[in-house]
Amino acid sequence: MTLFPSCFSMHSFLVLFYIFSHYRPRGCRIASDAAAARFKPLTLPLTRLPPPPRSTSSSSRSSGFVRVSGCRDSRSGGDKGNETTLLFQNSNGFVRNLGLVSRKRADSLLTTTNNCFVRQLRMEDSKSKESRGALIVLEGLDRCGKTSQSSRLFSSLEGFGYSVDLWRFPDRNTGVGQMISSYLLNQTQLDDRTIHLLFSANRWEKRSMMESKLRSGTTLIVDRYSYSGVAFSAAKGLDIEWCKAPEKGLLAPDLVLYLDIQPEEAAERGGYGGERYEQLEFQKKVSQQYLMMRDHSWKIIDASLPMEDVEKQLSALVLDSVDLCRKGKPLSQLWPCQPAHTEKADDPS
């Protein structure tokens, strides 16, 4: 005896069983509106809503916001309000449907975890205001205290928990840097223009790494930069605009700390005279060239003060600059096209 008629296969039986097991008589309600929504999920196309009202307060300048709207029951059209649809709208007015969530979950997102949640969703809107490290440059005559103060600033920022690196130009570890080192130690002789271009090339060697470090959030404390190259070469009699030319395109410092000291006082400090440029009359000429390059990024510090007093002044200025860069100050390039000698220094005499 067969279990099924010959015209009724096992496959047909399973199909009929599935249909009857899922059949619901007319008028039978599903247990909850939340379950009903899952049977027919709400889908919203990408659309444009009116932009959010602008606010002048610093706490309301975010590029996006979270908006909550009620979820309507798909069958009756009534607003049950048990669940809600969470939307994210960026600063351009485009909306992303984040799906159906409970009202309790939505309230949680809008309060305790809202900041982290929205920050992940609006990464593409914040590219123009990326937090970054600051480029801090210390300049001044030989033996003015740049190396000591650079080390102190490095330790101070590191103690505050910042990501920070300490650089020095010329970088004598590269191939170009070794040629420069031989010249400075009077071991080789080079034409003035040749050595100037080597100094510039030494900075260009580190240009890509410098930008990468800054964009990753690392602050750079740099002992000497392009200003030294221009000041020392111009003090030899080279045209200052010619000296600036190979430096254009390098990154501009966010802050230049010029340690101001009289050449005669610097000459009295220990170790003076060990390198080619440590000559009193030449240092006086260098000091005059430095004054011709001052701009809005420069801060002049009296380097004749006690070391601790100088350190306090430098630390305050550096922390302000670091904070500004963390808020999204854009990078810029050194010496963009502008009229020559836009800012004349006072006559030192």
Side-chain angles (χ1 to χ4, degrees):
M1 179 178 178
T2 58
L3 186 61
F4 302 103
S6 59
C7 63
F8 191 76
S9 66
M10 176 63 75
H11 179 268
S12 300
F13 173 77
L14 292 175
V15 171
L16 289 174
F17 178 79
Y18 179 84
I19 293 173
F20 282 109
S21 64
H22 288 76
Y23 171 74
R24 294 179 184 271
R26 184 182 298 273
C28 179
R29 304 283 294 182
I30 299 178
S32 67
D33 292 322
R38 283 191 291 273
F39 275 94
K40 188 175 182 180
L42 177 64
T43 58
L44 294 177
L46 189 65
T47 182
R48 181 184 288 273
L49 296 182
R54 295 185 178 274
S55 172
T56 57
S57 65
S58 59
S59 60
S60 303
R61 294 175 182 170
S62 60
S63 59
F65 69 96
V66 170
R67 168 178 173 171
V68 176
S69 61
C71 174
R72 293 187 176 274
D73 180 36
S74 59
R75 292 169 291 104
S76 64
D79 191 356
K80 300 303 180 182
N82 293 330
E83 294 191 342
T84 188
T85 302
L86 198 60
L87 306 179
F88 175 77
Q89 177 176 334
N90 66 14
S91 58
N92 295 323
F94 288 102
V95 176
R96 184 185 303 176
N97 178 17
L98 303 179
L100 205 60
V101 299
S102 67
R103 186 170 295 279
K104 182 178 179 180
R105 173 60 174 160
D107 291 340
S108 175
L109 287 173
L110 289 170
T111 54
T112 57
T113 62
N114 181 53
N115 290 337
C116 294
F117 187 71
V118 174
R119 189 180 302 116
Q120 294 175 1
L121 293 172
R122 65 179 182 224
M123 286 295 290
E124 67 276 8
D125 294 329
S126 62
K127 288 182 179 179
S128 61
K129 294 186 177 180
E130 290 177 344
S131 174
R132 65 172 179 85
L135 178 55
I136 310 297
V137 171
L138 279 78
E139 290 283 7
L141 300 180
D142 291 341
R143 306 296 168 179
C144 68
K146 298 182 305 303
T147 301
S148 298
Q149 293 297 341
S150 296
S151 298
R152 286 171 174 251
L153 282 174
F154 172 79
S155 299
S156 177
L157 289 177
E158 197 173 42
F160 281 121
Y162 290 107
S163 175
V164 57
D165 280 353
L166 177 60
W167 287 17
R168 184 181 184 185
F169 286 110
D171 181 356
R172 306 192 188 200
N173 296 318
T174 70
V176 173
Q178 291 174 6
M179 296 174 64
I180 295 172
S181 180
S182 296
Y183 173 82
L184 293 176
L185 294 174
N186 291 306
Q187 296 174 357
T188 59
Q189 300 296 324
L190 294 171
D191 176 77
D192 289 341
R193 288 176 173 80
T194 302
I195 189 61
H196 178 79
L197 294 175
L198 286 176
F199 271 110
S200 182
N202 188 235
R203 288 181 280 273
W204 276 102
E205 286 182 302
K206 306 294 288 288
R207 203 273 191 198
S208 296
M209 183 185 295
M210 176 179 286
E211 182 171 354
S212 178
K213 288 276 189 180
L214 293 173
R215 292 195 183 280
S216 69
T218 299
T219 289
L220 299 181
I221 304 297
V222 181
D223 181 355
R224 293 202 183 279
Y225 195 49
S226 298
Y227 305 98
S228 286
V230 173
F232 279 73
S233 292
K236 298 176 184 178
L238 299 181
D239 179 71
I240 191 169
E241 294 303 319
W242 184 91
C243 296
K244 285 182 177 181
E247 309 292 324
K248 294 181 179 179
L250 292 173
L251 295 178
D254 297 296
L255 177 65
V256 178
L257 300 168
Y258 181 76
L259 302 185
D260 190 23
I261 191 173
Q262 293 298 317
E264 292 83 2
E265 184 176 349
E268 295 174 359
R269 296 188 172 183
Y272 193 88
E275 290 194 338
R276 181 185 293 265
Y277 293 143
E278 292 179 351
Q279 302 173 21
L280 180 58
E281 293 303 317
F282 182 74
Q283 292 288 314
K284 290 180 180 179
K285 296 178 181 179
V286 171
S287 177
Q288 295 174 357
Q289 296 298 327
Y290 267 128
L291 295 177
M292 298 178 65
M293 291 185 287
R294 289 187 298 178
D295 59 28
H296 66 279
S297 68
W298 282 50
K299 300 297 181 183
I300 312 299
I301 309 298
D302 186 356
S304 64
L305 295 173
M307 185 175 291
E308 292 75 15
D309 294 342
V310 175
E311 182 183 0
K312 289 180 182 179
Q313 294 185 49
L314 296 179
S315 295
L317 292 169
V318 168
L319 288 174
D320 287 344
S321 182
V322 169
D323 184 59
L324 189 61
C325 293
R326 286 166 63 88
K327 292 178 180 178
K329 178 186 176 183
L331 287 171
S332 59
Q333 293 185 355
L334 193 62
W335 292 316
C337 296
Q338 59 185 5
H341 305 295
T342 55
E343 184 173 345
K344 293 286 187 179
D346 295 334
D347 187 349
S349 61

